[in-house]
């Protein structure tokens, strides 16, 4: 075979491989990181809001209307959800919710909004659970534990 024919067949093979890769790759991600302002608009539009923090964290304050589905319960709960229904997912700082949105994407959920900065960036009102202790009077000592969430992606 001469050099010209080899180059043509080589080019055809490269184009075929590229086309095959494009056909076999997964569809575009349905996950959209949103700002706190955009999240507030989405909540106002009535999207289903999922808080993946623990129940104790949820009771300390949550986005109004949010459902509490802790990370360890996400697989079981989401098995009954409609993958076409848009969701807004959040946690305290965005670490756990990042894991949640990747899981939901793998399960075929089409539109998942992610409050990437977490509840610490939320600027709207919060609903509080019934187990939240009242704020102590000024100067009164508290024995309330404080939780900080740290996350590193090694």
């Amino acid at each position: 075979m001469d050099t010209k024919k080899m180059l043509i067949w080589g080019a055809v093979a490269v184009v075929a491989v590229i086309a095959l890769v494009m056909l076999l790759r997964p569809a575009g991600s349905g996950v959209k990181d949103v700002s706190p302002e955009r999240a507030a608009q989405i909540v106002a539009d009535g999207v289903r809001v999922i808080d993946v923090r623990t129940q104790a964290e949820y009771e300390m304050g949550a986005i109004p209307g949010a459902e509490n589905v802790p990370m360890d319960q996400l697989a079981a709960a989401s098995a009954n959800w409609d993958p076409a229904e848009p969701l807004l997912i959040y946690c305290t700082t965005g670490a756990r919710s990042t894991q949640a949105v990747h899981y939901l994407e793998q399960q075929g959920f089409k539109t998942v909004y992610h409050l990437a900065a977490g509840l610490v960036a939320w600027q709207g009102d919060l609903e509080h659970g019934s187990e939240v202790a009242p704020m102590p009077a000024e100067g009164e000592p508290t024995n309330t534990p404080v939780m900080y969430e740290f996350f590193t992606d090694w």
Side-chain angles (χ1 to χ4, degrees), residues 30-34 38-39 42-43 46-52 67 69 74 77-90 97 100-105 107-115:
V31 175
K32 300 166 183 66
D33 285 341
V34 295
R38 178 69 178 124
I42 293 167
V43 170
V47 74
R48 186 175 190 175
V49 182
I50 307 297
D51 182 327
V52 296
E67 299 172 42
V69 181
L74 183 63
S78 64
N80 298 315
W81 298 346
D82 178 2
E85 179 183 19
L87 303 170
L88 171 67
I89 309 295
Y90 76 92
S97 57
V101 296
H102 287 300
Y103 173 79
L104 293 169
E105 182 180 29
Q107 300 308 307
F109 284 80
K110 305 295 182 219
T111 305
V112 181
Y113 298 102
H114 177 226
L115 181 54

Side-chain angles (χ1 to χ4, degrees), residues 34-70:
V34 295
S35 67
E37 296 80 17
R38 178 69 178 124
Q41 292 172 342
I42 293 167
V43 170
D45 290 344
V47 74
R48 186 175 190 175
V49 182
I50 307 297
D51 182 327
V52 296
R53 299 175 304 149
T54 66
Q55 182 178 355
E57 291 173 290
Y58 176 80
E59 289 174 354
M60 290 190 309
I63 293 175
E67 299 172 42
N68 184 220
V69 181

Side-chain angles (χ1 to χ4, degrees), residues 75-148:
S78 64
N80 298 315
W81 298 346
D82 178 2
E85 179 183 19
L87 303 170
L88 171 67
I89 309 295
Y90 76 92
C91 67
T92 303
T93 63
R96 287 174 282 180
S97 57
T98 296
Q99 296 171 2
V101 296
H102 287 300
Y103 173 79
L104 293 169
E105 182 180 29
Q106 290 171 351
Q107 300 308 307
F109 284 80
K110 305 295 182 219
T111 305
V112 181
Y113 298 102
H114 177 226
L115 181 54
L119 190 61
V120 296
W122 179 255
Q123 298 170 359
D125 292 332
L126 295 177
E127 288 182 338
H128 296 279
S130 59
E131 296 183 27
V132 176
M135 291 294 294
E138 190 170 328
E140 183 180 322
T142 65
N143 293 322
T144 306
V146 176
M147 187 197 98
Y148 293 95

